[in-house]
Amino acid sequence: MSALAYGAIILGGGLAGAALAAALAPRVNLLILEREAHLGYHASGRSTGMFIPSYGGPIIAALAEASRSYFETPHGSARPLLTRRDVLHVSRRERAAPSAGAVRMSSARIHALSPILKTRGLKSAWLEPGTGELDAVGIHQQLIATAVRHGAVLRLGVSPQNLGHDGEAWRLRVAGEEFRCSALVNATGAWADETAAALGLTPLGLAAYRRTVVLVAPPEPRPRVLAGPIIKDMEDRFYLRPFGQDLLVSPCDETLSVPTDAQPEPRDVAMAIARLKQATGYEPMQIKHRWAGLRSFAPDRLPVIGWDLRAPNLFWFAGLGGFGVQIAPAAGRLAAGLFLGTETPAASGVRGPNPQQFSPMRLAGRKLRAAKLYGLSQTGRTNNRRTAPNDRLAFRPVAQGRRQPA
C-alpha cells in the first residue's frame, strides 16, 4: 500500500498548530494530527482568554498587537473575538506604568471602577486601555476552519507510530494508514520535548507549569463588579476578572509539572481564595468551578519557532507559554514565513529581533554545540542524516506544518 503524501504534517491541533496551519494551508498541502478526540482539550481549551499586550515583555507585546486586527475583525466570524475591558494593574510597591498608554489611578478612581478592591496599602495603580477578553474557543475554531477551508486535512484521536525519516521524507503510520511528508512540525505544546526525544533528539529544555483558576459568585454590588475591569497584581500574585455572571480568580501559581492532563490541587485552590480575600476582603461561600492548565516555556521564555538543524526538515512551533491565545494569529504568520523562508519577524510586526531569537537552535546550541556534533552543512541543513524510527510515540496534542520543497 502506497503512503499518502503531504507537504507537511503538523503534530498537535492546539492553538499553535491551528495558527500555523491557517497561515500555511494556502501554500502547503497539510495534514494535522491531534491525539485527543476533540480540539482544545489541554492548554488551548483552558485559557482564561485575556488580551493584555503588556503582559510578557516587548516581543510578546508586539505579537499581541500584530494579532489585534484578527480579533477585532476576524474573517468569517459574525462577531469580534475581542471584547473590550480595561485592565487595572495594582501593586503594593512603587511600579512603573505597564504600557505607554496606561493611566495612573487615584484611590477614589479605583473605588469607582472596582468597589470590591481594597485601596489601602496600594502604592501603584495603573489602568491600561485597549485590553479585553478573548473568545479562546472561537479563535481556535476560526483558525482550524481557515486551514480546512484551504485544503488541510484534520485527524482527531490518533497517535502516530513508526515515525522516522528514510532519507527522503518523514514517514508515519496512523491507525493502519501510512503517511509521508517532506517536513514535520512539532507543535505538541507541553509534550514538545517528549516529541523531540521520540525522534532521537536531545530535548531543548522546555518546561510545563501548572496554573489554577476558580470561579465564584461575585460579591455585591454585583452589577458594578461584573462591569468592572480585569484586576491584575503587578507582582503576579493574583488576577481576577468578571467571567460571564461569575468572578474568575487565579493565584498565578506556577508549579513545575510533567506533561499531563492538569488538575487543580486543593492547596492552589485555597491559595486563590486566600489572595482574593486579601485583595478584596471577600471570601466566597463556595467554589462553583475549578480547573488547571499547563503553560510551557523555553528557558528564556521566548517562543520556539524555526527549523531544528539536528534533523532533516523538522520545524518547531512551541513554547508559547501563557500568551498563546493573544499572539496566535501573528505568531502563526511569523512561523509560516520562517517555514517558507519568505518572512522575518520584523515583517510580522516584531521589531528588533532576528529569526535566531526564536530558533530552536538557540537552545540546542547551549547544550549540544549542535553545529559541531551533527556535522551541519554551510546552510545549516543536515547531510542526509537519517532518524531512526520508534515503535510507538506518545504524541499528545498533534498539529500541522511544513515548507515547500526546495
Coordinates of all heavy atoms in Angstrom, one line a residue, residues 35-80:
R35 N -3.9 14.0 18.9 CA -4.0 12.8 19.7 C -5.4 12.7 20.4 O -6.0 11.7 20.5 CB -2.9 12.7 20.7 CG -2.9 11.4 21.5 CD -1.8 11.4 22.5 NE -1.8 10.2 23.2 CZ -2.4 10.0 24.4 NH1 -3.1 10.9 24.9 NH2 -2.3 8.8 25.0
E36 N -5.9 13.9 20.9 CA -7.1 13.9 21.6 C -8.3 13.8 20.7 O -8.2 14.1 19.5 CB -7.3 15.1 22.5 CG -6.1 15.3 23.5 CD -6.0 14.2 24.5 OE1 -7.0 13.5 24.7 OE2 -5.0 14.1 25.1
A37 N -9.5 13.3 21.2 CA -10.7 13.1 20.4 C -11.3 14.4 20.0 O -12.2 14.4 19.1 CB -11.6 12.2 21.1
H38 N -11.0 15.5 20.7 CA -11.5 16.8 20.2 C -10.5 17.9 20.5 O -9.5 17.7 21.2 CB -12.8 17.2 21.0 CG -12.7 17.2 22.5 ND1 -12.2 18.3 23.2 CD2 -12.9 16.3 23.5 CE1 -12.2 18.1 24.5 NE2 -12.6 16.8 24.7
L39 N -10.6 19.0 19.8 CA -9.6 20.1 19.8 C -9.7 20.8 21.1 O -10.8 20.9 21.8 CB -9.8 21.0 18.7 CG -9.6 20.5 17.3 CD1 -10.1 21.4 16.2 CD2 -8.1 20.1 17.1
G40 N -8.6 21.4 21.6 CA -8.6 22.3 22.7 C -8.7 21.5 24.0 O -9.2 22.1 25.0
Y41 N -8.3 20.3 24.1 CA -8.5 19.5 25.3 C -7.6 20.0 26.4 O -7.9 20.0 27.6 CB -8.3 18.0 25.1 CG -8.5 17.2 26.3 CD1 -9.8 16.8 26.7 CD2 -7.5 16.7 27.1 CE1 -10.0 16.1 27.8 CE2 -7.7 16.0 28.2 CZ -9.0 15.6 28.6 OH -9.2 14.9 29.7
H42 N -6.3 20.4 26.0 CA -5.3 20.8 27.0 C -5.2 22.3 27.2 O -6.3 22.9 27.4 CB -4.0 20.1 26.7 CG -4.0 18.6 26.8 ND1 -4.1 18.0 28.0 CD2 -4.0 17.6 25.9 CE1 -4.1 16.7 27.9 NE2 -4.1 16.4 26.6
A43 N -4.1 22.9 27.0 CA -3.9 24.3 27.3 C -4.8 25.2 26.5 O -5.3 26.2 27.0 CB -2.4 24.7 27.1
S44 N -4.9 24.9 25.2 CA -5.7 25.8 24.3 C -7.1 25.9 24.8 O -7.8 27.0 24.6 CB -5.6 25.3 22.9 OG -4.3 25.2 22.4
G45 N -7.7 24.9 25.4 CA -9.1 24.9 25.8 C -9.3 25.4 27.2 O -10.4 25.4 27.7
R46 N -8.2 25.7 27.9 CA -8.3 26.0 29.4 C -7.8 27.4 29.6 O -7.6 27.8 30.8 CB -7.5 25.0 30.2 CG -7.9 23.6 29.9 CD -7.2 22.6 30.8 NE -7.4 21.2 30.3 CZ -7.1 20.1 30.9 NH1 -6.6 20.2 32.1 NH2 -7.3 18.9 30.4
S47 N -7.6 28.2 28.6 CA -7.2 29.6 28.7 C -8.3 30.4 29.3 O -9.5 30.2 29.1 CB -6.8 30.1 27.3 OG -6.6 31.5 27.4
T48 N -7.9 31.4 30.1 CA -8.8 32.4 30.6 C -9.1 33.5 29.6 O -10.0 34.4 29.9 CB -8.3 33.0 31.9 OG1 -7.1 33.6 31.7 CG2 -8.2 31.9 33.0
G49 N -8.4 33.5 28.5 CA -8.8 34.4 27.4 C -8.7 35.8 27.6 O -9.6 36.6 27.3
M50 N -7.5 36.3 28.1 CA -7.3 37.7 28.3 C -6.4 38.3 27.3 O -5.4 37.6 26.9 CB -6.7 38.0 29.7 CG -7.7 37.6 30.9 SD -7.1 38.1 32.5 CE -5.5 37.2 32.6
F51 N -6.7 39.5 26.8 CA -5.8 40.2 25.9 C -5.2 41.3 26.6 O -5.8 42.4 26.9 CB -6.7 40.7 24.7 CG -5.8 41.4 23.7 CD1 -5.0 40.7 22.8 CD2 -5.9 42.8 23.5 CE1 -4.2 41.3 21.8 CE2 -5.1 43.4 22.5 CZ -4.3 42.7 21.7
I52 N -3.9 41.2 27.0 CA -3.2 42.2 27.8 C -1.8 42.3 27.1 O -0.9 41.6 27.4 CB -3.0 41.8 29.2 CG1 -4.4 41.4 29.9 CG2 -2.4 43.0 30.0 CD1 -4.3 41.0 31.3
P53 N -1.7 43.1 26.1 CA -0.4 43.2 25.3 C 0.8 43.4 26.2 O 1.9 43.0 25.9 CB -0.6 44.3 24.3 CG -2.1 44.4 24.1 CD -2.7 44.0 25.5
S54 N 0.7 44.2 27.3 CA 1.9 44.5 28.1 C 2.4 43.3 28.9 O 3.4 43.3 29.5 CB 1.5 45.6 29.1 OG 0.5 45.1 30.0
Y55 N 1.6 42.2 28.9 CA 1.9 41.0 29.7 C 2.8 40.1 28.9 O 2.4 39.5 27.9 CB 0.7 40.3 30.1 CG 0.9 39.0 30.9 CD1 1.7 39.0 32.0 CD2 0.2 37.8 30.6 CE1 1.9 37.9 32.8 CE2 0.4 36.7 31.3 CZ 1.2 36.7 32.4 OH 1.4 35.6 33.2
G56 N 4.1 40.0 29.3 CA 5.0 39.0 28.7 C 6.2 39.7 28.0 O 7.1 38.9 27.5
G57 N 6.4 41.0 28.1 CA 7.6 41.6 27.6 C 7.3 42.2 26.2 O 6.3 42.0 25.6
P58 N 8.3 42.9 25.7 CA 8.2 43.6 24.4 C 7.9 42.7 23.2 O 7.2 43.1 22.3 CB 9.5 44.4 24.3 CG 10.4 43.7 25.2 CD 9.7 43.2 26.3
I59 N 8.5 41.6 23.1 CA 8.3 40.7 21.9 C 6.9 40.2 21.9 O 6.2 40.1 20.9 CB 9.4 39.6 21.9 CG1 10.7 40.2 21.6 CG2 9.0 38.5 20.8 CD1 11.9 39.2 21.7
I60 N 6.4 39.7 23.1 CA 5.1 39.2 23.2 C 4.1 40.4 22.9 O 3.1 40.2 22.3 CB 4.8 38.6 24.6 CG1 5.7 37.4 24.8 CG2 3.3 38.2 24.8 CD1 5.5 36.3 23.8
A61 N 4.4 41.5 23.4 CA 3.5 42.7 23.2 C 3.4 43.0 21.7 O 2.3 43.3 21.2 CB 4.1 43.9 23.9
A62 N 4.5 42.9 21.0 CA 4.5 43.2 19.5 C 3.6 42.1 18.8 O 2.8 42.5 17.9 CB 5.9 43.2 19.0
L63 N 3.7 40.9 19.2 CA 2.9 39.8 18.6 C 1.5 40.0 18.9 O 0.6 39.7 18.1 CB 3.4 38.4 19.0 CG 4.8 38.0 18.4 CD1 5.3 36.8 19.1 CD2 4.6 37.7 16.9
A64 N 1.2 40.4 20.1 CA -0.2 40.6 20.5 C -0.8 41.8 19.7 O -2.0 41.6 19.2 CB -0.3 40.9 22.0
E65 N -0.1 42.9 19.6 CA -0.6 44.0 18.9 C -0.8 43.6 17.4 O -1.7 44.1 16.8 CB 0.3 45.2 19.0 CG 0.3 45.9 20.4 CD -1.1 46.5 20.7 OE1 -1.9 46.6 19.8 OE2 -1.3 46.9 21.8
A66 N 0.1 42.8 16.9 CA 0.0 42.4 15.5 C -1.2 41.4 15.3 O -1.6 41.2 14.1 CB 1.3 41.7 15.0
S67 N -1.7 40.8 16.4 CA -2.8 40.0 16.3 C -4.2 40.7 16.5 O -5.2 40.1 16.2 CB -2.7 38.8 17.4 OG -1.6 38.1 17.2
R68 N -4.1 41.9 17.0 CA -5.3 42.7 17.4 C -6.3 42.7 16.2 O -7.5 42.5 16.5 CB -4.9 44.1 17.8 CG -6.1 44.9 18.3 CD -5.7 46.3 18.6 NE -4.8 46.5 19.7 CZ -5.2 46.6 21.0 NH1 -6.5 46.5 21.2 NH2 -4.4 46.7 21.9
S69 N -5.9 43.1 15.0 CA -6.8 43.2 13.9 C -7.6 41.9 13.6 O -8.8 41.9 13.3 CB -6.1 43.7 12.7 OG -5.2 42.8 12.2
Y70 N -6.9 40.8 13.8 CA -7.6 39.5 13.6 C -8.7 39.3 14.6 O -9.8 38.8 14.3 CB -6.6 38.4 13.7 CG -7.2 37.0 13.5 CD1 -7.1 36.4 12.2 CD2 -7.8 36.2 14.5 CE1 -7.6 35.2 11.9 CE2 -8.3 35.0 14.3 CZ -8.2 34.5 13.0 OH -8.8 33.2 12.7
F71 N -8.5 39.7 15.9 CA -9.5 39.6 16.9 C -10.7 40.5 16.7 O -11.8 40.2 17.0 CB -8.9 39.8 18.3 CG -7.8 38.9 18.6 CD1 -6.6 39.3 19.3 CD2 -7.8 37.5 18.3 CE1 -5.6 38.5 19.6 CE2 -6.8 36.7 18.6 CZ -5.7 37.2 19.2
E72 N -10.4 41.7 16.2 CA -11.4 42.7 16.1 C -12.2 42.6 14.8 O -13.4 42.8 14.9 CB -10.7 44.1 16.1 CG -10.1 44.5 17.4 CD -9.4 45.9 17.4 OE1 -9.0 46.3 16.3 OE2 -9.3 46.4 18.5
T73 N -11.6 42.1 13.8 CA -12.4 41.9 12.5 C -12.0 40.5 11.9 O -11.4 40.4 10.9 CB -12.1 43.0 11.5 OG1 -10.7 43.1 11.3 CG2 -12.6 44.3 12.0
P74 N -12.4 39.4 12.6 CA -12.0 38.1 12.1 C -12.7 37.7 10.8 O -13.9 38.1 10.6 CB -12.4 37.2 13.2 CG -13.5 37.9 13.9 CD -13.2 39.3 13.8
H75 N -12.1 37.0 9.9 CA -12.7 36.6 8.7 C -13.7 35.5 8.9 O -13.4 34.5 9.6 CB -11.6 36.2 7.7 CG -10.7 37.2 7.3 ND1 -11.1 38.3 6.5 CD2 -9.4 37.4 7.5 CE1 -10.0 39.1 6.4 NE2 -9.0 38.6 7.0
G76 N -14.9 35.6 8.4 CA -15.8 34.5 8.5 C -16.5 34.4 9.8 O -17.3 33.5 10.1
S77 N -16.3 35.4 10.8 CA -17.0 35.3 12.0 C -18.0 36.4 12.1 O -17.9 37.5 11.6 CB -16.0 35.5 13.2 OG -16.6 35.6 14.4
A78 N -19.2 36.1 12.7 CA -20.3 37.0 12.8 C -20.0 38.1 13.8 O -20.7 39.1 13.8 CB -21.6 36.3 13.1
R79 N -19.1 37.9 14.7 CA -18.8 38.9 15.8 C -17.3 39.0 16.1 O -16.6 38.0 15.8 CB -19.6 38.5 17.0 CG -19.2 37.2 17.6 CD -20.1 36.8 18.8 NE -19.8 35.5 19.3 CZ -18.7 35.2 20.0 NH1 -17.9 36.2 20.4 NH2 -18.5 34.0 20.5
P80 N -16.9 40.0 16.6 CA -15.5 40.1 17.0 C -15.1 39.1 18.1 O -16.0 38.6 18.9 CB -15.4 41.5 17.6 CG -16.5 42.3 17.0 CD -17.6 41.3 16.9

